[in-house]
Amino acid sequence: MSRTALLVMDVQPAVVARYPDPGYLPRLRGAVEAARAAALPVIFVGVGFRAGAPEVDPVNRMFGGLAGRDLPATGTEFHPAVLPLPAEPVVTKRRVSAFAGSDLDLLLRAQRIGHLVLAGIATSGVVLSTVRQAADLDYRLTVLADGCLDNDPAVHEILVGKVFPAQAEVTATDTWSRQPV
């Protein structure tokens, strides 16, 4: 029997600051609290690089500008409204997908986790990339539609309404939080 885990992705202070939505963090915190109350693993995933960002190729359109820069973010800093507990795993990724350059798949398989509940910023970034890769890795998926944010509301709506349902169940945080499975 596989277990369920909630992935909280890229909810880092610098990212949250670029996506102003006063209701987002309380919704996400509710989902995290529901997962913890149900004894489901909560795994925090953040993007981070070593000093000088040696993992970044300057030709990478998204991260190339970071190459050679000394960056303060390590991938382990999360917004104070939603922080990992000491025993909760923190995964540092090196690209957009939660799996890219991280040990997430190893961590999930070692804990026999086969169902991922996804929340994070941005819908068209980490959530989209993680849905696609997790589906290819045969994980069962649930996306918390209002547990994700995007700078473009139309893109968010297309993804949660039309794209994600092909590979994941899509639901609201309050609906999932009432019965987290």
Side-chain angles (χ1 to χ4, degrees):
M1 178 183 204
S2 70
R3 298 172 59 203
T4 297
L6 173 63
L7 297 188
V8 177
M9 304 179 294
D10 290 359
V11 185
Q12 297 168 276
V15 176
V16 173
R18 295 193 317 255
Y19 296 82
D21 178 342
Y24 178 72
L25 291 170
R27 284 191 306 271
L28 183 58
R29 186 172 42 248
V32 169
E33 290 169 359
R36 289 172 177 159
L40 298 180
V42 180
I43 300 171
F44 289 78
V45 179
V47 64
F49 305 101
R50 293 173 182 85
E55 309 89 345
V56 177
D57 185 327
V59 302
N60 184 296
R61 290 184 67 130
M62 183 167 282
F63 297 110
L66 304 176
R69 293 183 43 204
D70 192 19
L71 306 169
T74 64
T76 60
E77 300 163 356
F78 296 91
H79 194 279
V82 186
L83 290 173
L85 296 177
E88 291 174 334
V90 173
V91 172
T92 301
K93 64 188 181 85
R94 308 298 181 185
R95 291 293 185 274
V96 180
S97 169
F99 292 95
S102 79
D103 62 352
L104 179 60
D105 189 52
L106 177 68
L107 176 68
L108 296 171
R109 293 190 190 281
Q111 294 185 37
R112 292 186 171 78
I113 294 169
H115 177 205
L116 305 179
V117 179
L118 306 179
I121 305 170
T123 315
S124 61
V126 67
V127 181
L128 172 61
S129 293
T130 302
V131 163
R132 294 300 202 192
Q133 192 163 1
D136 281 346
L137 293 170
D138 298 322
Y139 286 98
R140 187 173 138 228
L141 299 169
T142 299
V143 174
L144 301 179
D146 60 343
C148 305
L149 287 178
D150 202 276
N151 275 335
D152 187 331
V155 169
H156 173 85
E157 288 305 317
I158 288 170
L159 289 171
V160 300
K162 295 185 178 193
V163 176
F164 294 164
Q167 294 178 302
E169 177 185 342
V170 179
T171 191
T173 55
D174 64 339
T175 302
W176 181 81
S177 294
R178 283 193 293 271
Q179 211 168 0
V181 289

